[in-house]
Amino acid sequence: GENVEQHPSTLSVQEGDSAVIKCTYSDSASNYFPWYKQELGKRPQLIIDIRSNVGEKKDQRIAVTLNKTAKHFSLHITETQPEDSAVYFCAASNENDMRFGAGTRLTVKP
Amino acid sequence: DTGVSQDPRHKITKRGQNVTFRCDPISEHNRLYWYRQTLGQGPEFLTYFQNEAQLEKSRLLSDRFSAERPKGSFSTLEIQRTEQGDSAMYLCASTPLRAFFGQGTRLTVV
């Protein structure tokens, strides 16, 4: 089955700096890659996603890149704000299931 | 509100008891996932339904766990003879592609 690795496990940045979180996946059949943000005590919320026929997608301060050949994808957050502090999860999905990375705890210091 | 609801929100049970959780997905979503999440970890895949068919089941899911989706709408997850290690947040997500999570059921086995 699919195996998703996520790095780093914790990330601390200064407000206004950029944050990058990286994930790798194992199943070449995976074709959909969402990113979720989870605040303490709340459910994971979808923030951005990308399909395998696209190499990059951007939504305001958030962007995701995908390298299918290398089987890795990344989340980029620019101009970070304290409210970006949360745990971020990547996931990889094929037609049958969706597997998550272990998460990255992002702290944005004011 | 994403439209995926789970019941109950919290469950405290004694070791050895059986528990059942319910998930009501967004009505037009044919795929339904169950995940387990422990503190500081990403959601762990448990099982997946396409309509009423259970298509995949994680090796994590021992024979004490069973899930059903009898009419392709709501789903139930039952844990028999609960153990302390079953204490976790149990999350349900539904999707045609983008997965939306319910609030989860937090199980505490004492």
Side-chain angles (χ1 to χ4, degrees):
Chain A
E2 176 64 274
N3 183 47
V4 179
E5 300 281 340
Q6 183 171 347
H7 300 280
S9 56
T10 60
L11 179 60
S12 183
V13 300
Q14 206 67 37
E15 182 177 1
D17 288 351
S18 295
V20 180
I21 302 170
K22 297 182 179 181
C23 289
T24 60
Y25 62 99
S26 61
D27 187 354
S28 56
S30 290
N31 56 13
Y32 173 66
F33 307 91
W35 286 87
Y36 287 82
K37 176 183 180 182
Q38 189 174 30
E39 296 173 337
L40 191 63
K42 296 189 177 179
R43 75 186 87 181
Q45 296 276 8
L46 180 70
I47 56 170
I48 194 168
D49 55 9
I50 192 168
R51 298 194 193 194
S52 59
N53 58 348
V54 176
E56 184 173 357
K57 184 176 177 181
K58 190 172 181 181
D59 182 5
Q60 299 182 330
R61 296 186 297 109
I62 295 174
V64 59
T65 58
L66 170 65
N67 183 327
K68 280 203 71 181
T69 304
K71 294 199 189 73
H72 64 70
F73 56 113
S74 302
L75 177 72
H76 305 252
I77 306 174
T78 58
E79 300 169 26
T80 53
Q81 301 165 3
E83 51 265 38
D84 293 331
S85 296
V87 180
Y88 290 81
F89 296 101
C90 62
S93 177
N94 56 30
E95 296 300 319
N96 291 320
D97 62 20
M98 183 158 57
R99 305 297 173 115
F100 284 80
T104 296
R105 181 173 298 282
L106 173 65
T107 303
V108 180
K109 294 182 280 189
Chain B
D1 190 335
T2 62
V4 180
S5 63
Q6 291 186 244
D7 183 71
R9 295 288 303 276
H10 304 275
K11 178 72 177 177
I12 299 175
T13 191
K14 291 184 178 179
R15 190 171 48 188
Q17 298 293 305
N18 300 343
V19 293
T20 301
F21 312 140
R22 178 178 169 126
C23 171
D24 285 90
I26 296 171
S27 60
E28 63 269 23
H29 286 187
N30 56 356
R31 295 193 201 178
L32 186 148
Y33 299 92
W34 282 99
Y35 292 90
R36 178 173 64 191
Q37 188 177 29
T38 53
L39 197 62
Q41 298 297 313
E44 290 177 299
F45 172 80
L46 293 178
T47 191
Y48 154 65
F49 289 87
Q50 176 91 11
N51 299 312
E52 66 275 10
Q54 188 174 17
L55 295 186
E56 191 164 344
K57 200 171 164 180
S58 166
R59 285 189 299 272
L60 294 173
L61 218 63
S62 75
D63 55 10
R64 296 186 298 107
F65 288 70
S66 61
E68 292 182 344
R69 194 181 182 199
K71 296 180 182 178
S73 55
F74 74 91
S75 177
T76 57
L77 178 68
E78 181 182 15
I79 309 174
Q80 296 182 323
R81 306 181 302 280
T82 51
E83 301 172 355
Q84 285 188 321
D86 297 331
S87 296
M89 175 74 84
Y90 289 84
L91 290 163
C92 168
S94 75
T95 172
L97 179 63
R98 289 178 167 154
F100 294 96
F101 282 88
Q103 316 95 310
T105 294
R106 182 169 296 284
L107 173 66
T108 303
V109 181
V110 297

